[in-house]
Amino acid sequence: MSDEEGVSKKQRHKGKHDKDKPWDDPSIDHWKVDKFDPSWNESGMLDVSSFSTMFPRHKEKYLQDVWPTVKSALHEHGIKCELNLVEGTMSVSTTKKTKDPYIIVKARDLIKLLSRGVRAPQARFVKRRQHLLGPNNSTLKALEILTGCYILVEGNTVAAMGSFKGLKQVRRIVEDCIQNKMHPIYHIKILMVKRELANDPTLANENWDRFLPKFKKKNVQKKKAKGKEKKPYTPFPPPPQPSKIDQQLESGEYFLSEEKKTAKQWQQKQEKQAEKTAESKRKRDAAFVPPEEPVISEPGISIGDKSDVSTMAQSLKEKAKAHKRKTVEDVDPHAYVTGVEASAKKKVKPSKS
């Protein structure tokens, strides 16, 4: 059996209810929303349904300007609308001419969006976060192109208008953005890959999961701020801090005359100035202190010995006593200082004849 026959062969499902349904046909577009036909409900509505919502006062002037447009658009579907400026409410209700039973729900959503500040020609659902817009609304424009929906961000609300499939994608993107699950830019990358794969007929019946990028959320662990140590609870309030007058009374300064206070302050100022002057002078003089020079030691004498000078003097005295009996002519100055005998000469090796 070839691979093509294996793919085309239908898989058998276990269970008596796992049977082919009439709507399980690949030729049927399940995402398509059929337009309502008035012949489906010729008798009309059995009862009157109505909804109302309040709007803020600063929207009153705008609603007065656009209300004729809203009224004419709802009148085509048999919906009656009313704008009450005294109570600050908008209401919609069905009439005898209403055929579509779901149109009243859409009219309710319309007046809700108008009360939130959405423009009348583009009334739609709303939700929002700051990174949903992107720099210069670039992220929002990319989402509109990829989903095929019109998206508007107004305040804390996001509104979208388009096909059912596009609205489902927008809803998922906005919810992931609000719940901090995934940034909209990652959804844009996934939608771009899906658009490229849809253009390839060889990959139409294959799973695209291996082509889609996978993003993992990285939680950066922040350093916990060190909290203040909690002091043991005591029902008594803390003792009051002594005021400046209390400190003066304790030191006796409060009873001094103004002249003595001024003289004391001046004396304290002079003492502080003298301390600062001495400290700055010490820092300046530290640059002119010569470094310690290394001590060259003789063989047999350690460098770290503190009695280097006395040892050298003692050795010179001993050498002087040893050469005391020698005449001045026989004394070699170099040998006298270094301790090397002048008579010590290199032995000349006898030459072989």
Side-chain angles (χ1 to χ4, degrees):
M1 183 183 292
S2 62
D3 295 336
E4 295 180 358
E5 292 177 358
V7 173
S8 61
K9 186 178 180 180
K10 296 182 179 179
Q11 296 180 358
R12 294 181 180 180
H13 300 282
K14 295 181 180 181
K16 60 181 180 179
H17 298 292
D18 298 334
K19 298 179 182 179
D20 293 339
K21 307 297 189 297
W23 54 82
D24 292 339
D25 190 354
S27 61
I28 299 175
D29 188 4
H30 297 283
W31 297 104
K32 184 179 179 181
V33 180
D34 296 329
K35 188 177 180 181
F36 180 78
D37 189 358
S39 60
W40 297 347
N41 187 15
E42 295 180 354
S43 59
M45 307 296 293
L46 298 177
D47 198 357
V48 177
S49 301
S50 62
F51 296 96
S52 63
T53 184
M54 300 181 70
F55 60 88
R57 187 178 296 276
H58 65 274
K59 298 290 181 184
E60 182 177 332
K61 187 176 184 305
Y62 170 72
L63 291 174
Q64 283 181 330
D65 296 338
V66 301
W67 196 250
T69 306
V70 175
K71 190 174 183 179
S72 61
L74 294 177
H75 182 71
E76 296 178 359
H77 300 278
I79 298 295
K80 180 183 177 182
C81 60
E82 182 181 357
L83 177 64
N84 192 336
L85 299 177
V86 178
E87 298 179 358
T89 58
M90 291 181 291
S91 59
V92 291
S93 60
T94 57
T95 60
K96 295 180 179 180
K97 297 181 180 179
T98 306
K99 302 295 182 181
D100 188 358
Y102 193 72
I103 196 65
I104 186 63
V105 179
K106 294 182 179 180
R108 178 201 63 183
D109 295 340
L110 174 65
I111 60 175
K112 281 186 178 181
L113 293 172
L114 289 174
S115 65
R116 294 187 182 185
V118 182
R119 299 298 175 182
Q122 299 165 346
R124 55 204 179 263
F125 270 130
V126 180
K127 202 81 181 171
R128 116 96 276 198
R129 271 265 176 115
Q130 181 57 36
H131 51 261
L132 190 63
L133 293 172
N136 298 326
N137 293 338
S138 58
T139 305
L140 194 65
K141 292 176 183 177
L143 290 174
E144 288 181 346
I145 294 171
L146 294 172
T147 58
C149 297
Y150 180 83
I151 306 172
L152 174 67
V153 177
E154 183 73 22
N156 294 331
T157 312
V158 176
M161 181 176 63
S163 62
F164 185 80
K165 184 177 181 180
L167 289 175
K168 192 175 181 180
Q169 293 175 346
V170 173
R171 183 185 181 89
R172 181 183 177 186
I173 293 169
V174 173
E175 287 180 351
D176 289 349
C177 177
I178 293 171
Q179 298 173 5
N180 200 20
K181 289 183 177 180
M182 187 182 292
H183 197 277
I185 196 68
Y186 298 140
H187 282 289
I188 290 173
K189 292 181 180 180
I190 294 173
L191 292 174
M192 291 175 67
V193 173
K194 285 183 178 180
R195 174 174 286 191
E196 294 295 331
L197 293 174
N199 296 331
D200 191 352
T202 58
L203 301 174
N205 298 325
E206 293 187 11
N207 190 6
W208 293 349
D209 291 342
R210 65 179 188 274
F211 301 108
L212 299 178
K214 296 179 181 179
F215 306 100
K216 293 182 179 180
K217 183 180 178 182
K218 296 181 181 179
N219 292 327
V220 181
Q221 296 181 356
K222 297 181 179 180
K223 294 183 179 179
K224 295 183 178 179
K226 295 182 179 179
K228 296 182 180 179
E229 296 182 358
K230 292 184 178 180
K231 297 180 180 180
Y233 172 75
T234 56
F236 306 102
Q241 298 295 329
S243 62
K244 188 176 180 179
I245 297 175
D246 294 338
Q247 294 175 357
Q248 290 177 356
L249 287 170
E250 185 178 357
S251 62
E253 185 182 354
Y254 182 79
F255 303 102
L256 297 177
S257 60
E258 293 295 333
E259 295 179 357
K260 292 183 178 180
K261 288 182 181 179
T262 307
K264 188 176 181 180
Q265 291 177 359
W266 181 83
Q267 186 180 359
Q268 292 176 354
K269 186 177 180 181
Q270 291 296 325
E271 290 176 358
K272 291 181 181 179
Q273 188 174 359
E275 291 178 0
K276 290 183 179 180
T277 304
E279 182 66 20
S280 59
K281 185 179 180 181
R282 186 187 63 79
K283 290 181 180 180
R284 288 196 302 268
D285 294 344
F288 299 99
V289 176
E292 296 182 359
E293 297 182 358
V295 179
I296 301 174
S297 61
E298 294 183 0
I301 302 174
S302 62
I303 298 174
D305 192 359
K306 296 181 180 180
S307 60
D308 291 341
V309 179
S310 60
T311 306
M312 187 180 296
Q314 186 68 24
S315 63
L316 290 174
K317 287 181 181 180
E318 293 176 358
K319 292 173 185 178
K321 290 179 180 180
H323 295 80
K324 188 175 182 180
R325 296 180 180 180
K326 292 184 180 181
T327 59
V328 179
E329 296 177 356
D330 297 336
V331 175
D332 187 4
H334 181 70
Y336 180 76
V337 175
T338 59
V340 180
E341 297 293 338
S343 60
K345 298 180 180 179
K346 294 181 180 180
K347 295 181 180 180
V348 181
K349 294 181 180 180
S351 61
K352 296 180 180 181
S353 57

